[in-house]
Amino acid sequence: MSAEVLTRDLPQPGTAALWARQIGAILRFELVRTLFSRRAILLYLAALAPVGLLLIWVLVVSTFESKQTLAWATSRFFPELYQGLILRTIVFFGSLWAFLNLFRGEVLDRSLHYYFLTPVRREVLVVGKYIAGVIATVALFGTTTLACYLLLYVPYGSEGIQNHLLGGPGLAQLLTYWSITVLGCIGYGAVALLLSLRLTNPILPAIFLYGWEWLHFLLPAALKKLSVVHYLKALSPVPISEGPLAIVSEPPPAWVSVGGLLVFAAVLLTLTCWLSRKMEIRYGDE
């Protein structure tokens, strides 16, 4: 049988089918490495931290407070907890840790050259790693968001949880918070992946970005648009006060927030793909 017959129905190099297969292979490998390596321990600790704190809070409040007080605290406590701890801290640093390790981790392990020796385009490698990072962080921090929200209603029993989710605004709020977490992983992940490709030591830029995200309420309206959390906050089902020092600005509509974050991530991912073509490995510089 001739070689022409053997290769006639196979995807040729450079085709979309071949790239899809390569992305799938990279995705599977990177998921295992991201979720089951030693570096994943910090991700699991970060994902469990809000759940543990909220569990303690629920046990204390449900023991010493009435259900009326608990109901009020529940309605106000979770939005503050989500914005301050889960979104701005856990999702931010968790995404940075996961995505930074996609390239920097392999440079430190002196294993990135194995990828570069394979017949895989750099852009395909970047996309495969990025998708794996998004899936891993959404799986962890999306679960954290769902668990924390549901924990608040444990004192009311299964009937209370069902009434809140199906008979009230609970299900819509739960899905909204989960969606915000997903968008946060997408946005912060794109930033971290770019940093991991270009910077030897991304700690200082990460600290700067964290401060920028936390202090965005003090920024003028034009600069707020350069903050990821500005768009994520606009999607929150329960608005929270930013304090008397905040510079008030008009929140963007939902379609602008979602579309803007997706376009922002796509632009950064495209830039990362372009820069990856010029990346050279120098293990001796680490």
Side-chain angles (χ1 to χ4, degrees):
M1 187 177 294
S2 67
E4 180 181 357
V5 174
L6 288 173
T7 60
R8 182 175 53 196
D9 297 327
L10 296 178
Q12 298 302 310
T15 64
L18 177 61
W19 293 346
R21 286 169 47 196
Q22 291 176 335
I23 289 175
I26 295 169
L27 170 61
R28 291 189 294 272
F29 178 78
E30 292 297 330
L31 274 177
V32 173
R33 197 172 67 88
T34 301
L35 293 175
F36 301 104
S37 66
R38 288 179 298 175
R39 293 190 177 96
I41 295 176
L42 287 179
L43 291 178
Y44 287 107
L45 291 177
L48 290 173
V51 178
L53 290 175
L54 195 58
L55 181 59
I56 295 173
W57 183 87
V58 169
L59 291 175
V60 172
V61 173
S62 61
T63 302
F64 297 102
E65 301 290 346
S66 64
K67 282 195 173 182
Q68 291 78 9
T69 304
L70 179 61
W72 175 85
T74 297
S75 63
R76 298 306 308 167
F77 181 68
F78 183 79
E80 298 282 352
L81 176 79
Y82 179 79
Q83 290 284 344
L85 179 60
I86 297 177
L87 181 60
R88 299 192 193 186
T89 302
I90 300 300
V91 173
F92 179 86
F93 281 112
S95 296
L96 253 64
W97 178 255
F99 283 86
L100 284 175
N101 281 320
L102 292 177
F103 277 102
R104 296 306 307 165
E106 291 215 53
V107 171
L108 295 175
D109 293 340
R110 299 175 182 267
S111 60
L112 185 59
H113 65 282
Y114 293 117
Y115 266 129
F116 285 3
L117 290 174
T118 60
V120 177
R121 293 177 63 94
R122 299 285 180 88
E123 297 88 342
V124 172
L125 177 61
V126 170
V127 172
K129 282 179 171 286
Y130 178 73
I131 296 175
V134 169
I135 294 176
T137 51
V138 168
L140 290 174
F141 305 129
T143 302
T144 297
T145 303
L146 298 177
C148 287
Y149 189 89
L150 295 176
L151 268 176
L152 289 172
Y153 295 92
V154 167
Y156 299 102
S158 59
E159 183 178 354
I161 296 177
Q162 184 176 356
N163 291 336
H164 175 71
L165 291 178
L166 301 181
L171 184 59
Q173 290 184 1
L174 180 61
L175 293 177
T176 301
Y177 282 120
W178 182 84
S179 300
I180 294 173
T181 299
V182 172
L183 289 172
C185 293
I186 292 174
Y188 291 133
V191 175
L193 190 66
L194 179 60
L195 293 179
S196 74
L197 197 69
R198 298 301 298 172
L199 300 178
T200 302
N201 186 359
I203 294 178
L204 290 180
I207 293 175
F208 172 79
L209 289 174
Y210 183 65
W212 182 271
E213 293 292 288
W214 261 100
L215 299 176
H216 84 286
F217 64 93
L218 298 175
L219 299 174
L223 292 180
K224 286 180 184 289
K225 297 178 181 180
L226 302 178
S227 172
V228 173
V229 76
H230 173 66
Y231 300 97
L232 297 177
K233 277 190 59 182
L235 300 172
S236 179
V238 181
I240 61 174
S241 174
E242 294 182 321
L245 298 179
I247 298 178
V248 180
S249 62
E250 187 69 22
W255 68 271
V256 172
S257 296
V258 175
L261 280 172
L262 294 179
V263 170
F264 170 76
V267 170
L268 289 187
L269 187 61
T270 302
L271 179 59
T272 304
C273 289
W274 180 73
L275 292 174
S276 69
R277 299 178 182 177
K278 304 179 180 180
M279 183 179 182
E280 296 181 1
I281 305 174
R282 295 186 178 92
Y283 291 141
D285 296 340
E286 300 301 322

